[in-house]
Amino acid sequence: MNEVKNPVLQIDKLCVSYGKVEALSNASITVGEGQIVTVIGPNGAGKTTMLSAIMGVLGSAGRVSFDGTIEAVPEVERMVARGMNLVPEKRELFGEMSIEDNLELGAFQRYRMGHRDQARTMNEVFELFPRLKERRTQLAGTLSGGERQMLAVGRALMAKPRLLMLDEPSLGLAPLIVREIFRIVAELRRRGVSILLVEQNARAALQVADYAYVLETGQIAMQGPAHALADDPRVIEAYLGLGGKHQAMLST
Amino acid sequence: MDVQIALMLAQDGLTNGAIYALLALALVLVFAVTRVIFIPQGEFVAYGALTLAMLQGGSMPATAWLLAGMGALVALIDGATALRNGQTQKLAGVLGWNVGYPLGLVALLTLLPVKDLPLVAQVVLALAVVVPMGPLLYRLVFQPIASAPILILLIVSVAVHVAMVGLGLLFFGAEGQRTPAFSDANFEIGPLMVSGQTVWVVMASVVLILALYQFFERTLYGKALRATAINRNGARLMGISPALAGKLTFFVAALIGALSGVLIAPITTIYYDTGFLIGLKGFVAAIIGGLASYPLAAVGAVLVGLLESFSSFWASAFKEVIVFTLIIPVLLWRSLTTRHVEEEE
Ligand SMILES: Nc1ncnc2c1ncn2[C@@H]1O[C@H](COP(=O)(O)OP(=O)(O)OP(=O)(O)O)[C@@H](O)[C@H]1O
Ligand SMILES: [Mg+2]
C-alpha cells in the first residue's frame, strides 16, 4: 500500500471492460499530495484504459476519489474543473490552431470559472518550454513529435492542475528530449503538482517516481516505493533488462 | 436583356445570396461542431419572420408558448437530474433560464404595447422569442443522441423539420406575411435603383459574417467551438463539454436563421413553409463548400443567388430546378477532386 498522509487521488477496485473483455480489473492505486506515482507495464496491460477511466472518458465500475470527494462515475468536465488533467497518449492537439490558441484553450475551464490569470500561466509554460514561445504562432499540426509532446504537456499545465496524468510523455522522443521531459516532471512536483505517470521507459520512470505500480493484463501485479521496485529482480528482468546502464544515465 | 435589367437581376441575386451565405455558414458550423445536418435551419427563418409579423399585428406570437413549453420540458429533465445528483445549487439556474425567462418574456409581450413600438424593438423581441429555441432544441433532441452516427442525426433532423413546419402551420396559419421595410430610402446609382432594404440585407450580412469571424478568431468561446470541430476528444479533455458546444452552436445557428428571416420578410412573402426552400439553397451553397469551408460556402451562396435570379428571368418555371441541379456537377467535381474521408469514430 502507498501510505500517504494527504491522498489526492485514490481509486478503489476500478474495473473497465470493452464489451465482454475486461481490460482493467480491481485496480486500486493511491497518489499522495506532491507525489510522483508511476504505472509501468507491458503493451496492452491496460494503462491507458486506467487513465481514461479515472478521467471519465471511459465508463467504469468501482470508486474514484479525487481530492476527498468520491465520484461514482467521473465526468470529464467536472474532473477538469476540479483540477485533474490528462495528457492523453494520442495528445489530441488542435492541429489547425496555433500553439498559442492551443494553450489558451487549455485554460478554458478556468476561464469559465472566472479566473483571468491566463497570460501569467502562459508565461510560466513558456519558461518551461522556451521552444513553444519561439513558435507561438505555428500551427500545432505542423510541429515535430517532441514539440507536440511539449505542447500537450504545456496545454495541460494551463489548467493549473492539482493532479496531472501523463500517458507516455517520452513516447517516440530522442534520448536527450526524454531527459528534458523527465526533468520537467520533477520540476512540476517541486511546484506542488501531484503526478500520475504512465511510462514504457521503466528505468527513467522508476528513477523520478516516489512510488510505483506494475500493471499486467489489467491487474496490479506489483507495487512498492520506486527505488525498491527498481532493485526487484522480477522488475529488472521484465522491464529494465540487463546492463542497460546508459539509459539510466540519460534519464538523470 | 439590357444592362438595366441585368443590373437589377444581379442586385436581387446578391441580396438573396447574402442571406444564403449566412444560412450556409450556420449549416457548416452546426455540422462541423455537432455533425448534425441542420435541415430545420429554414424553419428558424420562417419563425423569425412570422413571429415579427405577429408582433406587428398586435397579437401574442404562439412561438412564445412553444418556447415556454420547451423550457418547461428542459427544466423538468435537467431539474430531475440535478436533484438526483444532489446538485441543488444548480436548480436555481435551471429553473431561471428555462422557466423564468420564457414566462418573463410572455409577461413582457403582454404588458408592452408591442404593436406601437419602434421596429428595432419589435425585431429584438422577435429574436428574443425565437433564438433561445435553438439551444433548447439541441438540449431536448440532439444532446441525448450526440454520439449517434451521422445518418441517425440526419433522420432526426428531418423529423424536427417536419414537426416544426407542422407547428408553423398551426401557429401562423396558411396565410403569407410581409413586414414593412426597415427603410423606405432608395438610392440611384447610375442606371440602377437600389432599395433601402437591399442595402440593409447586404450590410447586415457582411457585418454578421465579420462579427462571426471575430467571434471564432478572437474569443475563447469561439475558439472552443472550433476546437470541438477539430478534435472532439481533445476539447473534452480541456473541459469543453460537447453539450455546451452544441448549445452554443445551435444558439448561433438560430440567431442567424431568425435574423435572416427578419431581414428578408420585407422583400419576399414568407409562408409557414417558405423557410425550407430558403434553407435548402443555403444548403446547396454549404455543399459547394464541402460542408467544411466557410469562404467557399459564402462564394457558393452568392453564386446560388445570382443563378436563381437570372434563371427566374429566362426560365422562371425552372428556377428551382436549375438551382438544385447545380448541386450535381458540384458534387461530381468534388468527388473527383477530393479523396474519400471515412466517417470518424
Ligand atoms: N476501444 C477498445 N475496444 C476494445 N478493446 C480495447 C479498446 N481499447 C483498448 N482495448 C484493449 O484493452 C487492452 C488494454 O489497452 P490499453 O490501451 O489500456 O493498453 P496500454 O497498457 O496503454 O498499452 P500500451 O503500452 O501499448 O499503450 C488492450 O488489449 C487493448 O487491445
Ligand atoms: Mg497506452
Side-chain angles (χ1 to χ4, degrees):
Chain A
M1 275 297 290
N2 185 7
E3 298 290 349
V4 288
K5 276 206 289 295
N6 297 320
V8 173
L9 175 76
Q10 254 179 326
I11 70 171
D12 196 26
K13 299 210 172 64
L14 197 68
C15 305
V16 183
S17 26
Y18 295 111
K20 278 190 190 142
V21 188
E22 192 160 69
L24 190 70
S25 38
N26 289 325
S28 304
I29 70 170
T30 305
V31 180
E33 172 108 59
Q35 254 191 338
I36 299 182
V37 171
T38 184
V39 176
I40 57 176
N43 290 125
K47 306 181 295 293
T48 300
T49 303
M50 183 166 89
L51 294 191
S52 306
I54 295 173
M55 195 68 204
V57 180
L58 281 179
S60 58
R63 214 183 57 171
V64 175
S65 125
F66 177 53
D67 233 356
T69 312
I70 294 167
E71 306 275 342
V73 178
E75 186 189 324
V76 184
E77 294 80 30
R78 199 160 70 241
M79 297 314 262
V80 174
R82 292 186 45 207
M84 182 187 281
N85 227 286
L86 169 67
V87 177
E89 197 171 20
K90 294 184 184 141
R91 307 302 172 234
E92 314 279 15
L93 298 173
F94 306 120
E96 289 124 70
M97 298 173 91
S98 68
I99 286 184
E100 248 172 342
D101 284 353
N102 269 274
L103 289 176
E104 244 180 75
L105 283 163
F108 178 81
Q109 194 55 257
R110 275 181 73 74
Y111 183 89
R112 228 189 142 200
M113 294 189 301
H115 300 285
R116 290 293 181 275
D117 51 2
Q118 283 75 24
R120 211 175 58 228
T121 324
M122 199 180 293
N123 277 331
E124 286 169 19
V125 170
F126 283 150
E127 264 167 44
L128 278 178
F129 302 104
R131 229 187 149 86
L132 293 183
K133 188 172 187 178
E134 286 164 26
R135 305 176 169 262
R136 57 205 296 168
T137 55
Q138 193 175 331
L139 296 188
T142 62
L143 294 177
S144 81
E147 290 161 351
R148 297 166 66 88
Q149 229 90 313
M150 293 174 197
L151 179 55
V153 175
R155 189 178 65 169
L157 289 177
M158 287 297 293
K160 295 201 161 190
R162 277 189 38 73
L163 174 70
L164 182 61
M165 303 197 287
L166 301 166
D167 199 345
E168 308 207 13
S170 73
L171 189 71
L173 296 186
L176 275 177
I177 313 234
V178 172
R179 182 157 72 174
E180 182 67 13
I181 291 272
F182 279 96
R183 188 185 61 73
I184 285 167
V185 169
E187 166 70 18
L188 289 177
R189 168 179 48 187
R190 210 181 52 75
R191 297 185 184 190
V193 184
S194 313
I195 292 171
L196 180 57
L197 173 70
V198 161
E199 258 300 332
Q200 288 291 340
N201 189 338
R203 192 179 298 276
L206 289 176
Q207 208 152 61
V208 74
D210 302 302
Y211 199 83
Y213 295 87
V214 177
L215 193 67
E216 282 171 1
T217 55
Q219 287 174 331
I220 304 281
M222 275 182 263
Q223 59 174 299
H227 58 86
L229 272 197
D231 294 333
D232 189 303
R234 287 169 299 171
V235 174
I236 293 178
E237 189 183 349
Y239 300 107
L240 302 179
L242 294 169
K245 273 273 184 266
H246 69 282
Q247 257 196 8
M249 278 157 63
L250 275 174
S251 59
T252 48
Chain B
M1 176 160 67
D2 56 21
V3 176
Q4 196 160 359
I5 294 181
L7 280 177
M8 239 177 65
L9 291 176
Q11 182 194 334
D12 269 9
L14 270 182
T15 317
N16 289 337
I19 295 292
Y20 301 153
L22 282 178
L23 297 178
L25 294 189
L27 285 165
V28 172
L29 171 68
V30 170
F31 181 72
V33 175
T34 64
R35 300 175 309 136
V36 173
I37 296 176
F38 196 41
I39 314 280
Q41 179 74 57
E43 272 59 72
F44 281 91
V45 177
Y47 277 33
L50 294 172
T51 301
L52 178 64
M54 279 189 97
L55 287 177
Q56 290 173 341
S59 46
M60 167 72 70
T63 31
W65 297 116
L66 178 62
L67 180 72
M70 291 171 83
L73 264 181
V74 170
L76 214 61
I77 299 172
D78 282 357
T81 316
L83 275 185
R84 207 169 333 112
N85 295 346
Q87 296 164 314
T88 35
Q89 78 280 6
K90 265 193 184 172
L91 226 48
V94 168
L95 288 178
W97 279 111
N98 297 302
V99 180
Y101 173 79
L103 292 184
L105 194 60
V106 168
L108 200 65
L109 291 178
T110 334
L111 294 177
L112 283 178
V114 178
K115 201 175 169 194
D116 308 317
L117 288 178
L119 183 64
V120 186
Q122 293 171 335
V123 167
V124 169
L125 284 172
L127 293 181
V129 171
V130 177
V131 175
M133 283 184 205
L136 288 174
L137 181 67
Y138 181 80
R139 173 65 193 88
L140 286 174
V141 179
F142 292 104
Q143 188 176 317
I145 53 166
S147 49
I150 290 183
L151 185 61
I152 305 281
L153 294 174
L154 174 61
I155 293 169
V156 171
S157 184
V158 172
V160 171
H161 154 70
V162 173
M164 282 185 76
V165 173
L167 286 175
L169 178 59
L170 184 69
F171 293 162
F172 308 113
E175 291 287 298
Q177 298 281 353
R178 203 180 258 241
T179 57
F182 287 18
S183 103
D184 300 323
N186 278 305
F187 308 92
E188 249 175 274
I189 305 172
L192 184 65
M193 192 70 163
V194 180
S195 80
Q197 190 65 26
T198 300
V199 176
W200 258 103
V201 170
V202 175
M203 292 299 280
S205 303
V206 170
V207 166
L208 203 55
I209 288 172
L210 288 180
L212 284 175
Y213 180 78
Q214 290 294 318
F215 173 68
F216 286 115
E217 289 295 320
R218 301 259 181 276
T219 70
L220 194 61
Y221 279 88
K223 287 177 190 175
L225 285 191
R226 270 168 63 213
T228 309
I230 295 172
N231 186 334
R232 202 168 277 111
N233 292 333
R236 268 195 95 188
L237 288 176
M238 302 300 106
I240 306 166
S241 82
L244 174 73
K247 282 183 214 159
L248 193 53
T249 306
F250 271 59
F251 176 84
V252 174
L255 176 67
I256 290 178
L259 204 57
S260 305
V262 166
L263 282 171
I264 52 161
I267 302 177
T268 26
T269 309
I270 303 278
Y271 298 85
Y272 71 96
D273 61 352
T274 311
F276 180 59
L277 267 189
I278 300 176
L280 207 54
K281 284 168 194 156
F283 186 67
V284 171
I287 292 283
I288 292 176
L291 275 181
S293 159
Y294 296 93
L296 266 185
V299 171
V302 175
L303 201 70
V304 168
L306 288 175
L307 190 69
E308 179 189 36
S309 78
F310 279 92
S311 54
S312 70
F313 178 75
W314 278 311
S316 71
F318 295 108
K319 166 178 107 170
E320 316 288 12
V321 179
I322 293 175
V323 169
F324 292 124
T325 316
L326 174 69
I327 214 170
I328 296 175
V330 167
L331 283 181
L332 262 181
W333 169 69
R334 287 204 76 90
S335 71
L336 290 178
T337 53
T338 52
R339 67 195 164 77
H340 182 66
V341 184
E342 291 289 331
E343 180 181 330
E344 51 164 334
E345 273 308 302

